[in-house]
Amino acid sequence: MFCYQCQETAKGTGCTMAGVCGKSSEVAALQDLLIYVTKGLSVVTTRLREEGKDIDESVNHIISVNLFATITNANFDKDSIVEKISKTLSVKEELLERFEDREGLPDAAEWNGNKSEYAQKAMSKEVGILATRDEDIRSLRELITYGLKGLAAYSKHANSLLKDNEEIDAFLQKALSKTLDDSLSVDDLVALTLETGKYGVDGMALLDAANTGAYGNPEITTVDIGVRNNPGILISGHDLKDLEQLLEQTKGTGVDVYTHSEMLPAHYYPAFKKYPHFAGNYGNAWWKQKEEFEKFNGPILMTTNCIVPPAASYKDRLWTTGATGFPGCRHIDGEYGQVKDFSPIIEQALKCKAPEEIETGTIVGGFAHEQVFALADKIVDAVKSGAIKKFVVMAGCDGRMKSRDYYTEFATKLPKDAVILTAGCAKYKYNKLNLGDIGGIPRVLDAGQCNDSYSLALIALKLKEVFGLDDVNDLPIVYNIAWYEQKAVIVLLALLYLGVKNIHLGPTLPAFLSPNVAKVLVDNFGIAGIGTVEDDLELFFGES
Ligand code: SF4
Ligand code: SF3
């Protein structure tokens, strides 16, 4: 196997024996094949669109879910990946029938085989990251593919709320197909990378409209982080539709519902406030789940990444749905637009003890675009009076590496007139530090999930307008972003597309950036890594 798509990749270069995440080499190879055949299907759909033919939404959904399933910590289940390969091949065969001319298709689009042939094909020289020999082309192809995985994940969530955007799907598939095109130069692929960022903005806007259309605009909310006395179900990941259905189905059952990690921001939406059994948030970012899921005592539903391979002691309480999977854990299926049946999870919860208390107190969030716009006068006054000197965007992901303590220390040592803007699970590094407020404006403004980085971009654009600036980079905003998996890649590309410069990315730069590609990002966008907390504070604020 060879995988280097996430920040925790082995030795900072690539996982080759087994994933640091727990992905086996067998599953890694099958995921490579799934990506390969999905790219092949995308060649077919792209060519059919060029011939003026329509592609059914169901095909778009298959492609998005396939990409989503290969995101770090989403799907470890060999059988699930095999099923996805088979489905992709059979849909592709049907579509091939619609061609007037099948000439010149790449192997990824032509290849077909039965299940017994998948492992061998997965190991063949055409499949996998190292199939591209030139390291700069490989780097750009992977950068684009990872951005598209993030985009696919966000589209999938919007699709679950019955919002589709054919333009986004058509681009996603065209871009996937271009990663197989040997005629494209480094410059072509750099341009495609930025175009991917444009569709990243569109994808996040689609999801934002889907979420706020269904559940209202997030508002300032105090979330309990303690526990109650009833049995509970813990729901993790990013899928708000799954949460809605779970809350509906647990009504009046005596089972409470708690959020975990990236599901925390669900509390900020008005629509979920009507459920008295929506109890609070339990635990922290994804990587602490082994210890915390043990103590939760009840079932846990993973709607998306990040799954940590579970301990035997709670494995029978871990359930998956959507693009996720783990061998031996039960999976709840559901078609788009249909209600999933969560009753087996509820039955299990009723037999479980109430969660063990691991924390007490509250946290405050809900600072997505509309809420911040409502506070705009107050924020602008604070900036004009000098009470707020700088905003620091610290969005992104959390992870288990010790080096991420940097973010806790950085947040703690920030000048007291700086405000953190955050989104994604990176917030768990500093959202319980009680960093106080500036004239009633909390010093940590949490917009929501990683996809709600879109809100942070809208807020920056709004401030640019209010202050009458021509360039978003003239704002008193600095960017110190933590990344881990591929959703952070699309967020980064979206920010680059919006013209944001000098983003610091840590705790380490991606292994998939070749020296030349990294240089393009440094020279054109001022991308940089992180240093020590002291040096970076000096750099950003001229003090330490
Ligand atoms: Fe390694 Fe990350 Fe790939 Fe897992 S997702 S195999 S940890 S690079
Ligand atoms: Fe976290 Fe996995 Fe990226 Fe949505 S849940 S941000 S790491």
Side-chain angles (χ1 to χ4, degrees), residues 102-255:
R102 265 179 81 152
E103 278 305 291
L105 287 174
D107 178 71
E110 286 286 7
W111 184 78
N112 202 346
N114 59 40
K115 286 182 184 172
S116 64
E117 294 165 288
Y118 291 176
Q120 197 189 354
K121 181 67 179 175
M123 304 301 287
S124 70
K125 66 174 184 358
E126 307 86 42
V127 178
I129 294 162
L130 301 176
T132 305
R133 301 193 72 85
D134 181 285
E135 74 164 352
D136 297 329
I137 300 282
R138 183 196 304 146
S139 174
L140 287 162
R141 284 179 173 178
E142 294 308 314
L143 174 59
I144 293 162
T145 303
Y146 303 152
L148 296 173
K149 288 187 183 193
L151 175 57
Y154 295 155
S155 304
K156 152 77 172 74
H157 293 312
N159 299 158
S160 295
L161 291 163
L162 305 183
K163 299 289 178 213
D164 282 79
N165 180 325
E166 161 68 20
E167 239 182 86
I168 294 176
D169 287 304
F171 169 78
L172 188 144
Q173 293 159 33
K174 186 171 75 178
L176 275 179
S177 72
K178 285 187 176 180
T179 64
L180 295 172
D181 184 346
D182 290 330
S183 73
L184 297 187
S185 66
V186 164
D187 287 349
D188 295 334
L189 290 170
V190 169
L192 185 60
T193 305
L194 288 187
E195 202 183 354
T196 303
K198 175 199 177 301
Y199 284 92
V201 176
D202 294 351
M204 285 192 276
L206 177 72
L207 178 53
D208 180 76
N211 283 338
T212 57
Y215 307 119
N217 273 300
E219 52 195 23
I220 303 178
T221 305
T222 301
V223 181
D224 206 323
I225 57 171
V227 296
R228 299 181 185 173
N229 296 325
N230 300 320
I233 297 174
L234 188 58
I235 178 166
S236 189
H238 305 68
D239 199 304
L240 297 184
K241 186 71 190 172
D242 287 335
L243 172 69
E244 181 192 358
Q245 295 185 356
L246 183 66
L247 285 169
E248 275 298 313
Q249 292 174 35
T250 43
K251 265 198 306 204
T253 60
V255 172

Side-chain angles (χ1 to χ4, degrees), residues 1-10 13-16 18-24 28 31 70-73 76 129 146 400 484-486:
M1 70 176 281
F2 183 80
C3 181
Y4 62 176
Q5 66 176 354
C6 83
Q7 189 273 327
E8 293 186 0
T9 193
T13 53
C15 295
T16 53
V20 172
C21 58
K23 184 164 75 175
S24 68
Q31 287 193 358
T70 68
I71 279 185
T72 304
N73 295 337
F76 297 80
I129 294 162
Y146 303 152
R400 55 198 137 197
Y484 169 56
E485 36 76 50
Q486 299 77 52

Side-chain angles (χ1 to χ4, degrees), residues 260-261 264 281 283-285 398 425-432:
H260 170 257
S261 193
L264 157 67
N281 190 69
N284 291 279
D398 198 6
C425 68
K427 65 171 92 38
Y428 287 97
K429 278 281 184 273
Y430 43 79
N431 68 345
K432 295 172 184 170

Side-chain angles (χ1 to χ4, degrees), residues 71-73 154 236-238 260-263 285-287 304-307 396-399 404 423-426 428 448-451 482-488:
I71 279 185
T72 304
N73 295 337
Y154 295 155
S236 189
H238 305 68
H260 170 257
S261 193
E262 275 286 70
M263 198 57 87
W286 64 272
W287 60 278
T304 69
N305 60 318
C306 281
I307 300 173
C397 309
D398 198 6
R404 287 182 189 261
C425 68
Y428 287 97
Q449 299 177 333
C450 48
N451 41 287
W483 82 286
Y484 169 56
E485 36 76 50
Q486 299 77 52
K487 293 175 182 179

